[in-house]
Amino acid sequence: MLIASMNQAAFPNILVVMTQPDVEKQVTTEKQSIVRISDQADQTIGYNFLAVNELLPDLQFNGVQTLTEQQVAVLNEALVVAGFTGDLVADETPHIVVGYVQECDVHPDSDHMHVTQTQIAPDQTVQIVCGAANIAQGQKVIVATVGAVMPEGKIIWPGQLRGVQSDGMICAAREIGVAGAPAKGIMVLPDDWEVGREVTADAVAALLK
């Protein structure tokens, strides 16, 4: 997983790369304008490239953006030169996709949540806990997979809800940025939408017209 972001107004030429969820106690190591952030077990959480314009001069954006394999290769080379491990892996797959709810069972420790087995690609099914009242087996739904960055900035990481593993989020239309969409309930998609297909706010908004 690789999430890259920039804020040119506040921090010019600094690329922030995240590979793991944040932790309270962090260790930082700086070498040659690169800061490695790790946990106390020395597992990499991410890197700050403090002079990314010297590595990727054409990289100009604000917010989150997908880096290409070529761009990630440049960053890995810089990490190795600085004395770090070039361990970044490019992630160009979409993270807001069509899912299919294969199973939907009552959460063992909740009066409103359900535990789903949701297919997010032809060869991949994940467990997702969902609290929406209208979730049901057999639906096509919007899924924010692990690694997704939601419009308000929330990052989807693996986690647990009431003690049950949940690897993703089944979304309402408003949660992916569809203005004026209903505030309650997940968005149920047409049956002919292909599992794994990228879902955009514009495409969903067109359905609601």
Side-chain angles (χ1 to χ4, degrees):
M1 184 186 316
L2 189 155
I3 299 169
S5 65
M6 294 180 70
N7 184 335
Q8 291 283 28
F11 307 105
N13 300 321
I14 296 179
L15 176 70
V16 177
V17 172
M18 298 180 65
T19 59
Q20 298 287 341
D22 242 343
V23 295
E24 183 177 351
K25 295 183 179 180
Q26 298 180 349
V27 178
T28 59
T29 308
E30 182 173 350
K31 300 178 183 179
Q32 298 185 25
S33 297
I34 301 174
V35 178
R36 176 180 180 251
I37 301 100
S38 58
D39 61 20
Q40 292 188 311
D42 201 35
Q43 182 177 18
T44 299
I45 297 171
Y47 297 95
N48 292 341
F49 293 86
L50 305 182
V52 72
N53 57 310
E54 298 177 4
L55 301 172
L56 298 170
D58 296 328
L59 192 67
Q60 296 289 329
F61 66 87
N62 279 302
V64 176
Q65 181 165 304
T66 300
L67 299 180
T68 66
E69 289 191 4
Q70 183 178 3
Q71 290 170 328
V72 172
V74 171
L75 298 180
N76 276 331
E77 183 179 353
L79 288 171
V80 171
V81 169
F84 295 117
T85 302
D87 55 1
L88 299 178
V89 178
D91 182 3
E92 298 183 77
T93 60
H95 285 286
I96 307 293
V97 301
V98 177
Y100 175 70
V101 182
Q102 297 175 326
E103 300 177 22
C104 184
D105 299 310
V106 175
H107 192 293
D109 188 32
S110 172
D111 61 359
H112 71 282
M113 291 183 181
H114 288 80
V115 181
T116 74
Q117 302 299 319
T118 300
Q119 185 184 20
I120 59 172
D123 59 350
Q124 186 179 10
T125 297
V126 296
Q127 180 168 283
I128 301 176
V129 176
C130 180
N134 64 327
I135 187 72
Q137 183 179 3
Q139 292 173 332
K140 292 284 183 72
V141 294
I142 305 169
V143 178
T145 65
V146 170
V149 181
M150 307 307 288
E152 80 281 8
K154 176 184 177 181
I155 300 174
I156 304 301
W157 300 108
Q160 291 192 350
L161 289 172
R162 292 281 187 95
V164 175
Q165 186 66 28
S166 183
D167 295 320
M169 182 173 74
I170 298 175
C171 303
R174 182 172 294 187
E175 289 174 314
I176 67 165
V178 180
K184 294 184 178 180
I186 52 104
M187 175 75 187
V188 180
L189 299 171
D191 287 338
D192 61 353
W193 282 37
E194 182 182 357
V195 170
R197 162 187 167 180
E198 183 174 12
V199 177
T200 65
D202 287 344
V204 174
L207 286 177
L208 296 174
K209 288 183 178 178

